[in-house]
Amino acid sequence: MTAHPPLRIGVLNGDDIGHEIVPAAHAIAAAAAQACGLAIDWRPMPLGRKALDELGHTMPPGTLETLGTLDGFILGPIGHQAYPKVPEAINPHPILRKSFDLFANVRPTRSYPGLGCLYDDIDLVIVRENNEGFQPDRNVVAGCGEFRPTHDTTISVRVITREGSRKVARAAFEIARARKKRLTVVHKNTVFKLGCGMFVEECYEAGKEFPDVAIEEVIVDTFAMKLVREPQRFDTVVTTNMFGDILTDEAAGLVGGLGMAPGLCIGRGDIAMAQATHGSAPDIAGKGLANPYAMIESTRMLIEWLGRRRGIPAAAEASALMKAGIDAALANPATRTPDIRGTGTQADMTNAILSYMETHAHAPA
Ligand SMILES: NC(=O)C1=CN([C@@H]2O[C@H](COP(=O)(O)OP(=O)(O)OC[C@H]3O[C@@H](n4cnc5c(N)ncnc54)[C@H](O)[C@@H]3O)[C@@H](O)[C@H]2O)C=CC1
Ligand SMILES: CC(C)CC(=O)C(=O)O
């Protein structure tokens, strides 16, 4: 019997491989929840190209209002680059992140030896500022965006605020405190003296609340090099939006590629969004080759986060059961996808996780 009100979680497939990996993540999380007595009220919702074709908009009216009533949601990758150039075909990402003030994109990188990792001992988290910087965003935060004042000149505006920097820095310090108590601030204040300069100042300000966490600074180009040569040196990293976008893909490349790059977008509010780092991979969509790990692990992170925030022990149990199932599937080449040295399909991997969880439901490893 469950003593908590059901968690309300939205399920938004997104585009292309999103229609394969989001249902996989949903099925696995639902099975783990059921096995552990965690009540979840799942709310599938239309979004993306399918919503445009069927309902006339990539983000149908009422989407934000409905999401606002939920505890969290799973967002599949969005193939916005291929959308037709019509006003109804907006990229929902920036709006979703900003509407719910999901200012910290928490992206872990972890080695699973034997899966094509360049090192067997990487375990780091990059916390990417999610709502400022260069992201063109339909003015949800005034000022971000691109402008073309004349035919021959384009201006891309990068917005950094004290509040935005302080918020993401605090989130990163909290994560660092729960890990190895080391935070690396990545920036380029040697050139962007005002923008990166403000970001770094606010990281030090936030650090005053976390005297037990050691803080270091690394310039972004040097960090990109060090990440390749000695990633073990890093534990928790915080950086601005665009640097984080690029560096998290680089980090994914160290551990088998984008299929191994999960993420959870969080803020100060009570809602969080599970979102893998990768895009909609149209080149492999419909072929059964998409690695569902990143989406499943992002969903596991969401359940763990909700359980911690709401004080629901069954959520921690469901998360542990999912993790054990994921580890078991990854350990067997026949039940992992070709991008990580496997011979299996997306369905093989999903079924292997489901069947492990069914067998081990009462004794997660
Ligand atoms: N967060 C998001 O929703 C993002 C969306 N995009 C969008 O996605 C579309 C495709 O963009 P791309 O530049 O091709 O980036 P992408 O991340 O979709 O794909 C890059 C490469 O990684 C592979 N890949 C990605 N995810 C994989 C997975 N789970 N398993 C196995 N292989 C995987 C793809 O097959 C491709 O070769 C575009 O419309 C782009 O704008 C791109 C990045 C992030
Ligand atoms: C449109 C962007 C928000 C896509 C992207 O690269 C990302 O932030 O993950």
Side-chain angles (χ1 to χ4, degrees):
M1 214 174 63
T2 44
H4 64 91
L7 291 174
R8 290 151 306 175
I9 299 183
V11 182
L12 299 89
N13 283 3
D15 297 310
D16 300 316
I17 63 167
H19 293 294
E20 302 160 48
I21 59 175
V22 173
H26 177 193
I28 288 166
Q34 193 170 20
C36 298
L38 173 69
I40 302 184
D41 176 3
W42 297 98
R43 308 274 181 91
M45 293 172 62
L47 193 87
R49 181 65 201 239
K50 194 159 180 273
L52 178 70
D53 294 343
E54 292 175 3
L55 301 165
H57 206 287
T58 52
M59 193 159 78
T63 303
L64 287 179
E65 292 74 9
T66 305
L67 287 173
T69 67
L70 306 182
D71 295 290
F73 53 103
I74 310 172
L75 177 67
I78 302 293
H80 54 93
Q81 215 177 317
Y83 285 174
K85 304 285 174 269
V86 295
E88 296 78 18
I90 60 165
N91 175 4
H93 267 163
I95 296 176
L96 291 173
R97 290 174 180 173
K98 284 179 181 163
S99 298
F100 299 110
D101 199 20
L102 302 171
F103 52 79
N105 197 331
V106 181
R107 293 180 160 179
T109 302
R110 182 177 158 210
S111 305
Y112 281 92
L115 272 58
C117 302
L118 301 186
Y119 303 89
D120 284 347
D121 51 357
I122 303 174
D123 181 6
L124 60 87
V125 177
I126 298 179
V127 183
R128 164 188 173 187
E129 200 292 318
N130 224 14
N131 283 341
E132 300 192 338
F134 278 121
Q135 299 281 357
D137 71 356
R138 302 197 162 232
N139 299 320
V140 180
V141 167
C144 287
E146 292 195 298
F147 309 92
R148 186 163 293 169
T150 72
H151 177 69
D152 297 318
T153 304
T154 299
I155 300 173
S156 300
V157 177
R158 177 182 187 234
V159 173
I160 304 284
T161 68
R162 288 203 183 279
E163 191 194 352
S165 304
R166 183 92 63 104
K167 284 195 302 193
V168 73
R170 274 208 198 99
F173 271 110
E174 273 163 21
I175 291 167
R177 176 173 269 172
R179 290 174 53 93
K180 291 189 184 155
K181 299 190 182 351
R182 286 202 323 261
L183 182 68
T184 305
V185 179
V186 173
H187 62 82
K188 184 104 180 167
N189 72 359
T190 44
V191 175
F192 301 106
K193 293 185 193 316
L194 298 182
C196 281
M198 180 181 284
F199 183 77
V200 174
E201 278 166 35
E202 291 307 315
C203 285
Y204 279 104
E205 270 307 305
K208 290 179 184 165
E209 299 164 36
F210 300 85
D212 52 325
V213 178
I215 181 167
E216 67 163 350
E217 291 174 50
V218 182
I219 303 293
V220 64
D221 38 351
T222 303
F223 180 83
M225 179 277 294
K226 287 189 171 170
L227 185 61
V228 172
R229 292 195 62 85
E230 42 178 347
Q232 306 82 351
R233 195 177 164 286
F234 300 108
D235 182 66
T236 308
V237 178
V238 66
T239 191
T240 48
N241 198 342
M242 185 66 78
F243 293 162
D245 191 13
I246 297 165
L247 293 171
T248 51
D249 272 37
E250 184 189 338
L254 298 174
V255 295
L258 283 168
M260 298 304 290
L264 184 69
C265 298
I266 59 173
R268 280 277 152 235
D270 263 353
I271 188 166
M273 171 173 88
Q275 186 189 28
T277 295
H278 60 72
S280 65
D283 54 335
I284 56 167
K287 298 181 180 164
L289 297 176
N291 180 350
Y293 169 84
M295 200 69 246
I296 297 167
E297 176 64 9
S298 304
T299 304
R300 189 199 64 75
M301 289 168 71
L302 172 65
I303 288 183
E304 186 188 52
W305 185 88
L306 286 171
R308 216 175 31 244
R309 299 274 295 204
R310 310 276 194 278
I312 305 172
E317 286 163 33
S319 157
L321 183 61
M322 286 177 74
K323 182 163 181 352
I326 293 166
D327 287 352
L330 289 178
N332 180 356
T335 58
R336 58 182 198 242
T337 44
D339 57 311
I340 46 171
R341 299 192 174 163
T343 55
T345 61
Q346 180 273 121
D348 292 332
M349 195 156 152
T350 303
N351 290 334
I353 298 172
L354 286 169
S355 101
Y356 178 96
M357 293 196 316
E358 198 178 329
T359 320
H360 296 77
H362 299 295

